[in-house]
Amino acid sequence: MSNFKERLTIEDHKNDFDYKKSNTGLNIQFNRVAFIFFVFFVIFSIYTIHLIHLGSREVKIENTSNTLPFSSDLYRADILDINGNYLAKTVKSVNIGLKTSDIISKEKLLLSLKIIFPDKDFHEIEKKIENKKFFYLEKKISEEKYEQIMKLGDKSLIPEEKVLRMYPQKNLFSHILGQIDNDNNGISGLEKSLNENLRLSRDPIKLTVDKDIQFLIRKELLKYQEIFKSKGSAAILMDVNNGNILSLVSLPDFNPNERKNISDVNYINRVTKGTYELGSVFKVFTFASALNEKLIEPDTEFLDLPKSIKCDRYRIGEYDNEIPSDLTAEQILVRSGNIGSVRIAQKVGPEKFKSFLEDIGVLKQINFDIEEVAPQIDYDFGKCRLATASFGHGVATTILQLAKGYAILANGGYEVKPTLVFKENNKKNKNRRIINKGISEQVVNALRKIVNTKEGTARFADVQNYEIGGKTGTADQPEGGKYSEAKINTFSSVFPTSNPQFVFVVMLDTPKKSKDYYYKYRHRKGGWKGTLYNTAGWTSVEVAGKVIDKIGPILATKYIQVD
């Protein structure tokens, strides 16, 4: 009995003990779980906040990458033509360099590189590893090979981001676009003059030029440079109302992708940088200045004109002794009379004639979008300078300035600023009037007769349906203080003459006659084989006519405005 009681007492004590142990263990376990939960909650909260922060930063980076693909010192805006075609484009390029001091295992590295670049000369690479601290393993690496290189995880292989400036049209716009140097700075053309805009602009810069028209004009110039064996040639096509330049070509040209240092003066931009005595294309300015001063009318007669005159010890003669001695002012221009032009200029006088040439921009320094523009000489106009300038000798200017002068004569007499950079609001230029009202109509009417009458000197440019008017200019080139036999042959035209829209100038530098070229007459059936005279009427006019044949349909459908 006593044993039974003792056993009961022990069991009761055990039950009490179990109850207390169970209660204390539950509290301890609950506190641990709560603490662990709290720690995980804090960590989760921290990571959640961090992820939200990273997410917001990623959006910002993505947005930035859309507008700024390169670091600011590498970025350069694209350049487009009037139709959105790329003329200059910046793309990322990566060079892979090899820092030899960081190579861990040369054998392993070379084995890996041989897999990626199986065509490389690895004997040469091994020599460079032994003798150089750093060298470029591969430049302008493709995206695929770049990924393969990076997967090697070798710290001796160093990627270096570069900017590659691409010119998809190659030579086509070389004299307009210019070049950049190895530091991504413009050194010529628009690349230089627009350097800051190209670095800072987030949008492409649009030009006024048309790729298709530029291509066709350059193609014809190249063709006829071979035919007439000219040293170089140039052409400019410009809207007479707003100064927008649709095409500017100078030959020879170059490929800006090659980044060559060009020192040959023959690669000069002949439209803007070359200065020339341009000959009889100046006679239209002589005619217009006298009309503007109300000193003549188109039908004013000049009688008993001699075949030659003297100014000091210099003789001035007619280029063609068949020119009649009695001519009207308009006939002097149409038949390109030298003596008649001198007589008209003498009526105007040296001061007023010089002032007129400066007002229309022909003998005045021009501000242009590119910096390669020749400085204009400030000529003293005495009686002999007046005489020779009246028919385009003794004074020199650029093809760009010549085009500006013709544009003003054709557009009603208003100031115009030639430009290569497109402006949305540059619709139709009605700036300061330079020439009196009604003068343009008289001048353009005379220019049309030079092309479409038998007395004119530009019959080969009478392209059907385009109403071309223009003036020829054949000038001897000065050399060593006297004139040589080398020629500058120019044709400056405006069209359509019923409502002038364009000025188009073609210049051939030192052309020669072609004995095999066949001229097809536009005004009658048949033609002629061989160049009879090394004059603008047989060279530059022929080129201009062939060009307008090709570009005319494009101009008529895209650019001619119908009022």
Side-chain angles (χ1 to χ4, degrees):
M1 185 69 164
S2 60
N3 290 337
F4 178 72
K5 286 182 179 179
E6 185 178 355
R7 190 166 51 250
L8 284 177
T9 302
I10 291 170
E11 286 178 0
D12 287 346
H13 179 74
K14 185 179 180 180
N15 288 340
D16 291 344
F17 179 77
D18 287 342
Y19 171 78
K20 290 178 181 179
K21 182 179 179 181
S22 176
N23 184 41
T24 304
L26 182 61
N27 288 336
I28 292 171
Q29 185 176 359
F30 177 80
N31 289 337
R32 286 177 178 173
V33 170
F35 175 75
I36 293 170
F37 176 79
F38 175 75
V39 170
F40 273 102
F41 176 76
V42 171
I43 294 171
F44 174 79
S45 299
I46 291 171
Y47 272 93
T48 302
I49 293 169
H50 188 57
L51 286 172
I52 292 171
H53 176 63
L54 287 176
S56 63
R57 285 183 61 189
E58 187 177 352
V59 170
K60 290 179 182 178
I61 292 170
E62 184 179 351
N63 289 339
T64 304
S65 67
N66 289 334
T67 58
L68 188 61
F70 315 109
S71 56
S72 59
D73 59 328
L74 298 178
Y75 178 79
R76 202 166 182 87
D78 298 333
I79 301 177
L80 312 176
D81 83 338
I82 191 68
N83 300 309
N85 296 302
Y86 282 100
L87 308 185
K89 184 171 181 60
T90 296
V91 296
K92 274 196 294 189
S93 172
V94 177
N95 298 335
I96 299 295
L98 202 155
K99 187 178 179 183
T100 56
S101 61
D102 287 344
I103 296 176
I104 298 172
S105 172
K106 184 177 77 171
E107 292 74 17
K108 182 179 178 182
L109 175 63
L110 289 174
L111 182 62
S112 300
L113 292 176
K114 284 178 183 178
I115 297 172
I116 300 173
F117 303 106
D119 298 327
K120 276 194 173 296
D121 183 353
F122 280 88
H123 291 293
E124 185 65 27
I125 291 174
E126 285 191 65
K127 289 180 183 178
K128 289 181 179 179
I129 290 174
E130 295 298 327
N131 300 321
K132 293 187 177 184
K133 293 180 180 180
F134 179 89
F135 65 92
Y136 285 106
L137 178 69
E138 182 81 355
K139 290 187 176 182
K140 301 176 186 177
I141 193 168
S142 68
E143 185 176 346
E144 178 186 358
K145 292 197 180 295
Y146 172 74
E147 290 180 0
Q148 292 175 350
I149 285 284
M150 290 299 98
K151 285 178 181 178
L152 295 180
D154 194 312
K155 68 176 183 178
S156 66
L157 297 169
I158 301 171
E160 185 181 75
E161 186 181 90
K162 290 286 186 181
V163 157
L164 189 61
R165 190 68 163 164
M166 301 291 292
Y167 301 92
Q169 313 305 329
K170 298 181 180 178
N171 294 47
L172 192 56
F173 293 95
S174 56
H175 284 290
I176 294 175
L177 298 174
Q179 297 190 85
I180 63 172
D181 61 16
N182 291 328
D183 295 322
N184 204 36
N185 292 310
I187 57 175
S188 63
L190 290 175
E191 291 282 23
K192 181 179 181 182
S193 59
L194 299 180
N195 191 57
E196 287 305 308
N197 286 344
L198 290 167
R199 280 182 171 276
L200 299 175
S201 176
R202 301 281 74 87
D203 300 316
I205 292 178
K206 183 188 286 189
L207 304 187
T208 59
V209 293
D210 185 305
K211 185 194 75 170
D212 296 331
I213 292 175
Q214 180 90 349
F215 173 82
L216 292 171
I217 292 176
R218 180 177 180 271
K219 182 180 179 182
E220 291 301 303
L221 285 185
L222 285 170
K223 172 184 172 182
Y224 282 95
Q225 189 160 287
E226 280 295 310
I227 291 170
F228 296 122
K229 306 300 179 187
S230 56
K231 176 182 174 183
S233 55
I236 181 172
L237 176 69
M238 185 172 76
D239 188 314
V240 302
N241 292 307
N242 57 25
N244 285 351
I245 294 172
L246 281 70
S247 175
L248 188 157
V249 180
S250 178
L251 296 177
D253 50 28
F254 57 92
N255 186 347
N257 291 302
E258 296 175 358
R259 292 196 185 181
K260 289 183 178 179
N261 183 19
I262 301 171
S263 57
D264 188 346
V265 71
N266 200 38
Y267 283 83
I268 192 173
N269 186 337
R270 284 176 162 78
V271 176
T272 65
K273 190 68 174 176
T275 56
Y276 308 95
E277 294 186 20
L278 294 168
S280 295
V281 289
F282 261 61
K283 290 172 182 173
V284 69
F285 303 137
T286 306
F287 178 67
S289 65
L291 290 173
N292 198 53
E293 293 293 332
K294 297 182 172 57
L295 297 170
I296 62 168
E297 293 293 333
D299 57 359
T300 298
E301 293 183 324
F302 289 79
L303 306 176
D304 298 322
L305 294 169
K307 297 303 177 188
S308 69
I309 59 174
K310 288 195 73 175
C311 188
D312 291 340
R313 58 191 177 90
Y314 300 104
R315 176 187 172 276
I316 298 173
E318 293 289 8
Y319 87 96
D320 182 3
N321 285 329
E322 299 299 317
I323 293 177
S325 297
D326 298 336
L327 294 168
T328 65
E330 183 181 77
Q331 287 171 337
I332 290 170
L333 180 60
V334 171
R335 303 193 67 147
S336 199
N338 289 344
I339 307 302
S341 295
V342 173
R343 294 292 186 243
I344 294 173
Q346 287 171 340
K347 283 181 173 289
V348 179
E351 290 184 6
K352 287 185 177 179
F353 188 50
K354 179 185 179 183
S355 178
F356 181 84
L357 293 175
E358 289 175 341
D359 285 345
I360 62 175
V362 174
L363 291 186
K364 185 178 182 180
Q365 190 66 38
I366 189 169
N367 293 320
F368 193 49
D369 297 320
I370 60 177
E371 296 180 10
E372 291 81 20
V373 176
Q376 181 61 56
I377 298 173
D378 183 14
Y379 294 100
D380 291 326
F381 266 62
K383 65 176 184 177
C384 287
R385 180 86 68 188
L386 172 69
T388 58
S390 71
F391 57 91
H393 282 76
V395 291
T397 190
T398 66
I399 302 298
L400 176 66
Q401 289 167 268
L402 178 71
K404 175 178 178 176
Y406 268 73
I408 292 171
L409 293 184
N411 71 9
Y414 295 95
E415 172 69 90
V416 66
K417 182 180 179 182
T419 183
L420 288 164
V421 180
F422 178 77
K423 302 174 184 65
E424 288 289 348
N425 58 354
N426 200 15
K427 299 296 182 183
K428 194 167 183 178
N429 197 339
K430 288 297 179 184
N431 293 327
R432 177 175 66 98
R433 179 181 281 279
I434 295 172
I435 300 174
N436 293 327
K437 186 176 180 180
I439 303 301
S440 281
E441 289 79 358
Q442 294 174 316
V443 170
V444 171
N445 185 55
L447 292 177
R448 177 61 179 151
K449 290 179 181 179
I450 294 171
V451 175
N452 75 342
T453 64
K454 65 180 182 178
E455 293 84 10
T457 58
R459 300 294 300 278
F460 289 124
D462 193 18
V463 182
Q464 189 176 5
N465 300 323
Y466 291 108
E467 298 179 340
I468 298 166
K471 183 71 190 78
T472 54
T474 304
D476 298 329
Q477 295 190 46
E479 183 179 343
K482 59 182 181 180
Y483 288 101
S484 68
E485 293 185 359
K487 306 290 184 184
I488 293 291
N489 289 352
T490 309
F491 180 56
S492 190
S493 62
V494 297
F495 62 97
T497 50
S498 59
N499 180 24
Q501 298 290 326
F502 306 104
V503 57
F504 181 49
V505 181
V506 172
M507 185 276 286
L508 302 183
D509 187 343
T510 322
K512 298 175 178 61
K513 292 190 289 186
S514 172
K515 64 179 181 178
D516 297 321
Y517 182 71
Y518 184 79
Y519 294 85
K520 184 177 180 182
Y521 293 130
R522 293 185 183 274
H523 52 286
R524 66 173 186 265
K525 291 182 179 180
W528 189 277
K529 184 178 179 181
T531 307
L532 287 183
Y533 306 101
N534 188 8
T535 62
W538 286 83
T539 56
S540 300
V541 172
E542 177 70 1
V543 177
K546 295 297 185 182
V547 168
I548 295 173
D549 259 336
K550 301 222 170 17
I551 68 173
I554 300 174
L555 295 174
T557 55
K558 290 173 67 175
Y559 295 101
I560 291 183
Q561 300 173 2
V562 180
D563 292 333

